Amino acid sequence: MTKLKVVQIMYKTTVASPEKRLQEAFLKAGIESKIITLISDLDKDVRITKVKGTARRVAMVDSKIQSYLTKDVNSRLGSFSYPVIGSDISEMREIREADIIYVHWVLNGFMSLKNMEQLAKLGKPVVFYMHDTWFITGGCHYTLNCEKYKTGCSKCPMLKNPKVNDLSTRGFKKKMRFFSQYDNLYFVAPSHWLYTCAKESALTKNKPVFHIPNTLSKDVFKPYDKKVAKEIVNFKEDEIVIAFGAIAVNSPYKGWEYLQKALEILYNREDRMNIKVLIFGSGYNAEIANAIPFKTQFAGFLTSDYATSLMYNAADVFVAPSLADNLPYTVFESLSCGTPVAAFKTGGIPEFIDHKANGYLAGYKDSEDLANGIAYCVEKKLKGYRLPPFEPEVVLKQYRDFMEDIMSPKA
């Protein structure tokens, strides 16, 4: 295959964002990859282009309009997006020069469906990389127990006053009109769970949907000597370190209340361990610290993959109490660093974990079982590891095959 040129589009790009990691994998495989983003922490990267300031202002206006339109959404049930304005980036040089266009998470006022259609009109393959369920629903980012997306969104349970022709219906119809008009649209689901959802959605069941896992370099995220890692971050050797990603206490997806209860269960056991809780991605949070019965340490927001890898290596177990998730990088990173994961059996998370081998899958919303899982990982001294489908060479082969398929002339 001749050297392909790929452009990826994302609302915000960081060192740990999916499109940046995919770009690194593409470049190693000899595929030229550039990124267009609204916001970036990587200003010195010549392969990353930030759109002009006008788009930032448009995004702010669009976000305010969306806030008004979605005022009837019950935020305790999750996030709902209904983009209106957005920015046309179809004339950008990076877009014009690309063979394949990847569209990642481009909401928050960056792009609307109209803008995505402007990309489709170029006639190039447009790949929607699905980070959640937004592309297959009328607007929600996780469906939870709702299955209306399979037939057509209406009377959305996220709305305080659901109607036959409500915001979810309008969002669903907009996507249906767009998707049905173009045969150069492709959908990639990182998890088999989301792939199954996409094949069941009335919006995408007749569109080409592919399952290709996330990719993660083994150069940085790998096991180190745990004793040394603990010494570097000033943990005591006899401390059992339980780690988890920063959780917004009121997030409907992250399962904070179940994690809090699991930690209380561990604290009240007779054979209580010498536990310290490490919180990733947040500075000191009094509400979280006061709700945890053990000693806590906040690692802050880590901007370096090396620092993040060190923290995973210093932990004895990572906990992912998510109630809805696709294929979270936190779980992937922890397992790759040799640290087992205790998590609820939901979304794409079970695809990472071989139960009681590299981690523990607890019953959904079962805090007692989650506490058992944390204890099991520690007591059995489980070692985390990535499963064969997530090896970089396996994932890259899938991408090569995928690209060859969508670039080949159709009969």
Side-chain angles (χ1 to χ4, degrees):
M1 183 171 70
T2 57
K3 190 169 185 177
L4 284 173
K5 293 182 179 180
V6 172
V7 65
Q8 300 185 80
I9 309 167
M10 183 74 167
Y11 170 75
K12 182 176 181 180
T13 298
T14 68
V15 67
S17 55
E19 78 285 358
K20 185 66 176 73
R21 287 172 169 169
L22 193 55
Q23 181 189 58
E24 292 169 356
F26 283 164
L27 293 173
K28 282 186 178 181
I31 300 167
E32 181 58 37
S33 175
K34 294 184 178 180
I35 292 173
I36 293 175
T37 186
L38 186 68
I39 302 170
S40 176
D41 294 337
L42 308 170
D43 294 332
K44 296 180 180 180
D45 194 322
V46 296
R47 288 189 171 90
I48 298 177
T49 301
K50 286 199 297 186
V51 295
K52 295 181 180 179
T54 303
R56 296 281 295 271
R57 292 190 289 273
V58 170
M60 292 176 62
V61 173
D62 188 276
S63 294
K64 290 180 179 179
I65 295 173
Q66 283 195 66
S67 294
Y68 173 78
L69 294 174
T70 61
K71 64 183 183 299
D72 193 35
V73 173
N74 185 348
S75 59
R76 290 179 299 175
L77 298 178
S79 301
F80 189 104
S81 295
Y82 190 85
V84 180
I85 311 173
S87 296
D88 179 8
I89 61 172
S90 62
E91 294 297 327
M92 289 184 67
R93 178 174 55 82
E94 292 82 358
I95 297 288
R96 292 291 175 173
E97 292 179 352
D99 298 305
I100 302 173
I101 301 169
Y102 275 76
V103 178
H104 288 265
W105 206 93
V106 292
L107 302 174
N108 272 21
F110 182 18
M111 296 185 74
S112 65
L113 288 170
K114 179 181 178 180
N115 303 140
M116 297 177 209
E117 186 171 358
Q118 288 163 342
L119 297 177
K121 287 180 179 178
L122 298 176
K124 307 179 184 209
V126 177
V127 180
F128 294 111
Y129 190 101
M130 298 186 288
H131 295 268
D132 51 37
T133 62
W134 187 80
F135 279 114
I136 64 172
T137 70
C140 70
H141 290 270
Y142 281 102
T143 61
L144 297 177
N145 295 322
C146 178
E147 295 188 344
K148 293 184 177 182
Y149 68 96
K150 295 181 179 180
T151 54
C153 291
S154 180
K155 296 184 178 179
C156 179
M158 288 189 67
L159 301 178
K160 297 172 185 176
N161 297 296
K163 300 175 182 177
V164 173
N165 188 30
D166 57 24
L167 200 62
S168 71
T169 312
R170 297 198 291 276
F172 199 91
K173 288 180 177 178
K174 278 186 176 183
K175 290 173 185 173
M176 183 65 82
R177 284 195 296 270
F178 171 29
F179 296 166
S180 63
Q181 289 180 37
Y182 297 88
D183 59 5
N184 59 328
L185 307 182
Y186 304 87
F187 298 80
V188 169
S191 67
H192 186 74
W193 163 76
L194 186 53
Y195 169 83
T196 301
C197 292
K199 294 302 291 184
E200 293 176 339
S201 170
L203 288 170
T204 50
K205 65 181 180 182
N206 295 319
K207 304 298 290 184
V209 181
F210 297 79
H211 167 223
I212 308 177
N214 290 332
T215 184
L216 182 66
S217 171
K218 299 175 78 171
D219 295 338
V220 178
F221 290 96
K222 58 185 178 182
Y224 297 97
D225 186 297
K226 193 167 291 293
K227 181 180 178 181
V228 173
K230 286 191 175 187
E231 287 178 355
I232 293 174
V233 296
N234 295 318
F235 292 156
K236 295 178 181 178
E237 187 177 349
D238 64 340
E239 286 180 327
I240 301 299
V241 180
I242 299 174
F244 65 87
I247 291 177
V249 175
N250 59 351
S251 169
Y253 304 134
K254 298 304 180 182
W256 161 246
E257 61 180 296
Y258 300 96
L259 173 59
Q260 181 186 11
K261 188 174 180 181
L263 293 174
E264 290 175 352
I265 291 169
L266 289 173
Y267 184 80
N268 292 322
R269 288 185 175 175
E270 292 183 7
D271 56 345
R272 184 199 310 169
M273 296 175 284
N274 180 23
I275 289 175
K276 172 177 263 188
V277 177
L278 172 66
I279 300 100
F280 281 66
S282 172
Y284 180 76
N285 183 310
E287 187 173 6
I288 291 177
N290 293 335
I292 295 175
F294 299 106
K295 294 178 291 183
T296 59
Q297 180 168 323
F298 291 82
F301 183 72
L302 303 173
T303 57
S304 163
D305 277 349
Y306 289 97
T308 304
S309 176
L310 180 64
M311 287 296 180
Y312 282 117
N313 272 277
D316 294 282
V317 59
F318 184 84
V319 188
S322 300
L323 303 181
D325 223 326
N326 182 11
L327 205 64
Y329 263 112
T330 52
V331 176
F332 198 178
E333 291 166 351
S334 181
L335 294 173
S336 298
C337 290
T339 299
V341 175
F344 287 135
K345 191 175 183 179
T346 185
I349 293 176
E351 297 167 40
F352 279 131
I353 299 175
D354 185 358
H355 185 51
K356 294 188 175 181
N358 66 345
Y360 188 101
L361 289 171
Y364 190 60
K365 294 186 178 181
D366 188 338
S367 294
E368 181 79 36
D369 198 19
L370 186 61
N372 291 339
I374 295 170
Y376 185 91
C377 290
V378 172
E379 292 166 359
K380 299 296 183 181
K381 296 183 179 180
L382 295 190
K383 300 294 183 183
Y385 55 85
R386 62 174 77 192
L387 299 178
F390 300 99
E391 292 293 341
E393 58 274 13
V394 175
V395 177
L396 275 177
K397 184 181 185 307
Q398 287 181 266
Y399 266 111
R400 286 194 192 96
D401 293 344
F402 166 66
M403 290 180 185
E404 287 179 359
D405 181 34
I406 66 177
M407 288 298 295
S408 62
K410 301 298 185 289

